[in-house]
Amino acid sequence: MSAANVWTRSRERMRRFPELLAQCAGEAAAYGKCVSATTTGRQELRKDSCVAEFEALKKCFVSAAKKGGK
């Protein structure tokens, strides 16, 4: 496996990101709202504070990526 192939695959995944994000807009918005609400004022984001929203977003990305094929 050459290094060029690694970068080519990486660039292809990054090119698809806007499309996947558009398909998961609701989940992305929910995760963003959770993060924003959790970090109001001087609070820091803590591990697992928005885990449910993140898992929903992750599941949506995986599903959207599978639908799109390669």
Side-chain angles (χ1 to χ4, degrees):
M1 179 183 302
S2 72
N5 288 339
V6 172
W7 290 110
T8 301
R9 288 192 312 268
S10 179
R11 278 192 293 267
E12 180 59 33
R13 282 193 298 266
M14 291 306 294
R15 283 187 194 111
R16 293 185 63 213
F17 185 77
E19 175 189 329
L20 298 176
L21 186 59
Q23 292 180 30
C24 299
E27 290 84 350
Y31 179 64
K33 286 178 186 177
C34 180
V35 169
S36 179
T38 303
T39 58
T40 56
R42 299 183 71 155
Q43 295 176 342
E44 293 183 15
L45 184 62
R46 295 188 185 268
K47 182 179 178 184
D48 297 336
S49 57
C50 296
V51 72
E53 291 83 354
F54 177 78
E55 288 299 325
L57 179 58
K58 179 180 166 184
K59 183 177 178 182
C60 182
F61 273 135
V62 169
S63 176
K66 285 181 181 178
K67 287 179 190 174
K70 287 190 175 187

